[in-house]
Each structure stands twice: as structure tokens, then as C-alpha cells.
Amino acid sequence: MMEKLLQLEKVSIDDGLGRALIKNASLTIFQGEFIGIVGESGSGKTLTVKSALDLLPDHLVITSGVRQLLGKELNGLSSKDKRRLIGAGIGFVPQNTVVFLHPMIKIKYQMIDAYLYHIDNDKKQALKKASDLLEKVGIKEPKRVLNAYPKQLSGGMQQRVNIAMALMTDPKLIVADEPTTALDTVVQRQVMELFNQLNQSEGVSILFISHDLKIVKQFCQRMYVMYQGEIVESGETHEIFTNPKHSYTQKLLSLIPTLTNLSMDKFG
Amino acid sequence: MSKLRQHKLFSLGLFLVLVVISLCIVSFFYLPQDPNVMNTINRFQSPSKEFLLGTDQFGRDILSRIMISSRYALFIGLVSVFLGAVVGIVIGALAATANGWLETILMRFIDGLMAFPGILLAMMLVAVLGKGLWNAVIAIAIFMIPVFSRLTYSLVLDQKNQLYVKAARSYGASKCRIIFKHILPMILPRLITQFSASIGSAILIESSLSFLGLGVQPPNASWGLMLSESRQYMLTYAYLAVPPGIILMITVLGFNLIGDAWNDSIVSRRMAE
Amino acid sequence: MLSFIIKRLISGLTVLFFISIITFFVLRWMPGDPATLSLGTEGTPEKIAELQEVMGLNLPWYQQYYHWIQDLFSGDWGSSYVFGEDVMTLIIQRLPVTLLLAAVSMVIVIPFAFIIGIMSALFKERWVDYIARSLMQLGDAVPQFWLALIFLVFFASKLGWFPVAGYVGFDDGILASIHSVLLPAIVLAIGQVGPLIRIIRSSMLSSLEQDYMLMTQVNGLPKTLAIVKYALRGASIAPLTIIGMQLANMLAGAILVENIFALPGIGRLLLMTVEQRDLILLQGMVIFVTSAVVLVNILTDICYRLANPMIRFGGNHE
């Protein structure tokens, strides 16, 4: 049996006023897997994953369930230990529509923080690693990028920086929350190839959240389908695509031919 | 901010303002002593049954003088802010609906007024118009113009792009009609909160001017003037400095709190929508 | 950036133009003409007429205005008829006192406001926040001249920690000089602190809600590092935007405070000028003070952009 990197068991989340946002979500990721979570916006994909990474906003409450990360039970850890575990063990790549990079700090000073704090307090080493990783994610002039502010980079570049930053601590698992949403199709493809390559050649597990079924079909080995705060279906990707059981999944799949147009409309 | 806290602050502000208003109203019917009677025997009396807050350098009753001063403070505060608001709102609305050069000229003019440190503009006007009550009112009113025109300007610009204004325009309503019938009612709450908050600073400027001898003139009483008159005796009779300052602060705090709490509730209602 | 600076300078000049127009016309309303006033008791009708001729008071207003502006630019600001001295000389004489007063009060108010503002944002809706906000409200409501009087009675007269009045020049040592303006500077600082805390608190609160703070969480950075390096950096430049306004407030406060503490600065000179209706001096001082405010506004706008890479490199926010 391979190592379990992340496991949620029957996690429920409440908005603090008694309304359930997530109901009994269970989810497991093993080492080396490329997993997809699909569902429309508002279905609770992001919230589920954020609960696993202890990133929920303060007003939301986890009412029940067990969350395990890298073999450790999250509820049993002090907040400091949780920070350490997540910071060092997991990389997070956000939607590139959000201002994830601090707009007023040069890239290099943002990239090295996690490394300095979790791995080795050696600035030179950290900068070298940052530069290497930028090259690895396909940036040709890492020096220039390191000395730039986020605004000086294009959206695609910023997303590469985000990915490189997520890799700074050599995590076993990367969680990517709709990482290609607002990118054009060429860059989208490049970014996905990058994730794929990390997964294939380095064995990094990827948890990929998306509403783009085509991408999920192409890259993910297993997938979860979320609908209105519940995981309605899960299993091998090709299995689900050939033989969807839940009516929502069936509806989703029937939309595939027009999906490209749809996503263009949404973000165009 | 929590609703409850907003409510509490508003109530506190209202309470403070009501204290001052009732002081003012009572002063028309009853005063403990004649505020203008000078009596050298009674000079510098410490607080007693007869003179609740003591007497000043001329033997005048401080409480009575504070009470009649509230009339001036409230009158000058209300009237000057009202005048300033009317002119300011007109300028702001005009600038927001006019286009091109008129807009630029009006707003630069307002920027120019804004560059005058509050009391400097008032002082300059008093130098020209002469000392006295009405001149202080005019001076403070002019000082209030830029705040209201800037606020109106940005609020009207905001509203101009709203659907209902576009709709009104599409069926051919005139500019004037749109502003007075459609936009003004929408932005009125925001303007009223500004009105309340401005009264506080208007009263503060009035008292400052009077303190400098440029506002309310003796033998009339104003909190600022009282402080100014007692200045030279203050080192010996420190109690002279306390009552006018406290009542002044209560008044300003009251109006500010009302304005703030009101504003917050408008903002949070907007956010909730 | 250069185009922004040019644009900003042009709009600043337009504002100055309006200021000069306002000042020119307002002071022209003044009853009694400058010639009569400056001659005082020595004024005979012939002498007055002669002086009016010399001062150009018979010219149409636009020519008067033009000459006045010309003189301003050439450094000839006229001479005061009360003091009998050059306006520029008088201003420059008084300026150091006011500058020192303002500087000392800035040095007090900035760190204080930052600490309180940040704490109040970090502990939002807790007692630190409530105290900070109460302080803000009180600071806004307390009349500065009253505070000055109370402080004077208590700290200077009763406790004897400060001189009751008067200014000690730099010749007697910088420390003594600072000590002589310290109490008035504290009074000024209290008047300034409210708006500053307010803007620091709100920009800190909005910085704390930004997504980059999520990143510090994901990266497992310790809280202090996240706050100092990320949140604070994001909140640090918004206060720049109100420095111009603060300066204007401070000058207004200086008028009162200098008069109470008998400091021979710009504020005291202004009051004398107004009391004596010294037109030439008053118009010179008004132009000087307002130009300073406009200039500081321009400079802070430019600094704001330079300090903010968000705008410097990307934005078409103009």
C-alpha cells in the first residue's frame, strides 16, 4: 500500500450560522497520484481542499470529521505545528486571478521565505534554489524574474512563479486550485504539462481542482465530482467518463462538447 | 463593526447632543444667575450652592455663561454648515454633471479652497469682513464648502452610472430633474451624515476663532471666548479652564459620534446589499 | 512616471492659480485701501493718492493681479506696513520655529499612530481596538487650544516640566530648543493622531484580508513574519496619502498653539497680521502657507507612486 498523503473522512463544514456548506466529504490521495476534483463554482471544491490545509476563513466551522495530512491528525496538532507541517510538506498553487503574490515585494523575497523558515536558513542557497526552480518551470531569465515585482510579469509568468514557489520546500503534494482559469489556452497547456511532468518524473502528487472536464480527463488518474457541498461520485477517471452513475455527473458530461465555449464566455 | 456597538455609539452621541440642546433650550427660560452681571465682590468664587461652577474674573456666573454660550455654538454650527452644505452640494453636483472645462475649473477651485488650513481661511475672511458673529458664520460656511462638494461630486459620479439613472435618461428626463428627483434622494443619507459630522468641526472652529478674539465678541459669551478671557488667571484659578472645555468637547464628540455611527450603518447596509 | 509628474505639476499649478485668485479677490474686498492703511495717521489725501499711484491701485484689477503675480515670482512679496519689513524676511524669520514644532510633533505622532493603528487592526473588536478607537474619537473632539491651556497649567506651571512660554533658539543648544517646543508639539500631535490611526488601522485591516496573507499561511510562515513583512508592507503607504491634509491641519493647529505658548512662529505672526489687518503681509503669508500645502500634496502623490510598485509598473490608474 502506498503512503496516504491526505485524507478527509466525513468532513462537514458550517457557515457559523447553522447552514451546512460541506456535507460528509471524504477524500484520499496516495503518493504519486494525480487527482482531480470537479464541480461547478459554489459546489464546495475549494472549501473542501482549504479545510484539509487548515486555510478556512475564521467564521467557518468544521462541525465533524477527521482530517489527516502526511500521516498526522490535524486536530491533534498545535497551530504552530500545523503551520510547519503544511508549510514544509505541501505546496499550494492558487487561481491566478487572485493576488497571491504580494504586489509590493520583489519575487525573490517572497520565494525564499518558506525555504528559509522550514529547510535551511541560508539565503544564498535559497536564492539559488529559487532560480533553479524558475528555470525548471520554464522561465528563461530567472534573474530578471527574481528581481521583478509581480506587476511586471504576465499572468502566465506569475502562475509559473506560483508553481515554483510551491516547490521551494520539495513538497510531496501540490494542491492546485483552478490554476489555469484565466490563462489563454497555450499557456494553460504549458502549465498543465508542467504539473504532469512533476507528477511523472518526480513523483509529486497533485490534487487538481477544476471545472474543466477536458483537462481532468486528460491528466487525472482518479477524480471526485462535487455537487452542492457533497461528493456525489468518485473513482477512476476513465471509468467515470465511460459510465457515470450520478445524474449530475451525467449532466456534466453531456455538456462537454460546448464546454470550451462556456469557459470562454465565463472568463473572456 | 457590530450592530450593537454602532447602536450604542449612536445613542451615546445622541445623548450628548441632547444634553447640549436641552442646556440651550433651558437657557431661554431659566438661568441660575444673570450671565452678564459683573460683581467684583464675587470674583473668582469657587463652585458653591449659589454659583454651581464658580464665577469668573468679573464675578459672572460660569454656569449661566456656559448655558447661553450653547446658543451661539449650536446656532453658528447649524447655520454655517447648512450654508456651506447647500453651496457645496450645488458646486459638486454641477461639476459631476457638467463635462470638460467647467468640471475641471470647479474641482480645481475646490482643491484650492481645500489647501487652506481650516482656520486660516476663516481668519483671512474675518480679517476682511471684520470680527463678529455673522462674519464667523460666513467664514465657517466657506470652509465647509469643499468637503460637501467633493463628497457630492463623487457620490453623483457613482450614481450617474447606475441603471436607474440611465433609464431615466433614456426616456428623456432633463439633467436637473435627474439630479433633484433621482440622484439627490439616493445620496441624501450620506450627505446628512456628513452634515452631522461637520457640525462638530464647525463648532470647534467657532470656538477657536472666538478664542483668538475673532469670533463672538464680548460681552456675549462663547465657550472659546470664555477660555480666552480666563487665560491670564488660569495659572491661579485652574478651575476656570475646565467647564467650557468639557462642554465643548461633549458637544463636538456628540455630533461626531452620531455622524460616524450613521455613516457606518450606511456603509454596512451597502455591503450587505 | 514622468508624464504623471508633469500632469501632477500642471494640476498643482492650476490649484495654485485658483488659490491666488481667491486670495487676491478676498483681500481686495477688505474695507479701507492698503495705501491709507499703510500710511496710518500720517495719511493726507495727497500722500494717499500718491501712494495709490505707486502701488498701482488705480489700475484695473487684472493688471493689478498680473503685477502681483509677477512680483511673487520675482521674490518681491512686498513689505508689511505694521512691521515695516519685507514679507519674505518676516516669514523666513518665523519659519524655523513652526518647522521645528511641526517636526517634533511628527516625530511623536507617527510611531505612536502606527503602533496603535496596527495593534487595533490586529486585535479588531477586542479591548485594544476599543481603547484605540475611543482615543481616536477623543482626539478628534478635544479642542486643541483647550488642551494646550490644560497642559500649560498642569505640566508647565504645576509640575514645572516645561517652560510656560517662549521659545529657545538653536543658539542655546538643540536640545533646549526642542524642549521649549515639546509641550506644544505634544498638543499638536494629539490633534493629528486621530485621522492617522484611522487610516493605518483601515489599511492594515484590508491588507490582512488580502490573498497574499493566505500565501503566508500556506507557506507556514510564523505569524510575526507574516505581519511584519507582508501585512505591514501592504499597509505602509496608504498613510502617505493624507500627509498633505495632516500638514494643513498642523498649520491650523500651530496658529492656536503658538499663540498660547508664545512661540514666535508663523501662526503667531498670522494672528497679529489678521488683528492689524496688514493686507500685504496677510496675502503673502496666505500664499506661502497654501503653496506649501499644495507642494507637499504634489510631493506625497509622487512619493506614493514611487513607493508603490503596483502603480509604478503596471497600472493605468490615472
Side-chain angles (χ1 to χ4, degrees), chain B residues 20-21 24 69-79 203 251 255:
Chain B
V20 179
I21 290 180
C24 171
S69 296
S70 65
R71 299 178 194 173
Y72 289 104
L74 292 176
F75 174 79
I76 295 179
L78 284 169
V79 175
I203 290 177
T251 316
F255 282 109

Side-chain angles (χ1 to χ4, degrees), chain A residues 21-23 37-45 48 224-233 246-249 251-252:
Chain A
L21 298 174
I22 302 292
K23 287 159 256 167
I37 303 183
V38 296
E40 60 201 23
S41 44
S43 61
K45 302 170 294 199
T48 308
Y224 292 84
V225 181
M226 284 199 77
Y227 179 62
Q228 295 191 336
E230 279 181 88
I231 293 181
V232 291
E233 190 155 1
H246 195 272
S247 59
Y248 175 71
T249 320
K251 215 172 85 193
L252 259 190

Side-chain angles (χ1 to χ4, degrees), chain B residues 253, chain C residues 112 116 128-142 190 193-194 197-198:
Chain B
L253 188 65
Chain C
F112 187 75
I116 303 274
V128 183
D129 190 24
Y130 292 140
I131 290 181
R133 277 149 78 179
S134 310
L135 280 181
M136 252 154 34
Q137 287 290 358
L138 284 179
D140 286 350
V142 69
I190 293 175
V193 83
I197 293 182
R198 201 162 280 155

Side-chain angles (χ1 to χ4, degrees), chain A residues 50 54-55 83 86-87 90 92 98-105 109-110 113-114 117-118 149 151-152 165, chain C residues 211-212 214-223 225 229-230 233-234 236-237 307-310 312-314:
Chain A
K50 278 191 172 172
D54 210 43
L55 292 177
R83 273 170 181 270
I86 295 163
I90 295 188
F92 183 80
V98 304
V99 195
F100 199 59
L101 293 168
H102 197 299
M104 289 159 68
I105 301 179
Y109 297 123
Q110 307 194 44
D113 269 348
Y117 187 65
H118 296 299
Y149 290 96
K151 271 270 172 174
Q152 292 170 285
M165 187 145 84
Chain C
D211 289 309
Y212 51 71
L214 197 71
M215 182 195 74
T216 66
Q217 264 186 60
V218 173
N219 283 338
L221 302 182
K223 243 192 170 120
L225 180 69
K229 180 167 170 181
Y230 290 84
R233 183 77 183 87
S236 61
I237 60 167
N308 190 345
M310 260 194 287
R312 197 162 22 130
F313 298 119

Side-chain angles (χ1 to χ4, degrees), chain C residues 204-253:
Chain C
M204 189 71 184
L205 278 177
S206 92
S207 184
L208 285 170
E209 279 167 13
Q210 298 294 315
D211 289 309
Y212 51 71
M213 293 311 288
L214 197 71
M215 182 195 74
T216 66
Q217 264 186 60
V218 173
N219 283 338
L221 302 182
K223 243 192 170 120
T224 41
L225 180 69
I227 287 167
V228 172
K229 180 167 170 181
Y230 290 84
L232 197 54
R233 183 77 183 87
S236 61
I237 60 167
L240 269 181
T241 54
I242 63 160
I243 284 189
M245 199 186 88
Q246 294 284 86
L247 178 78
N249 285 341
M250 202 169 261
L251 286 168

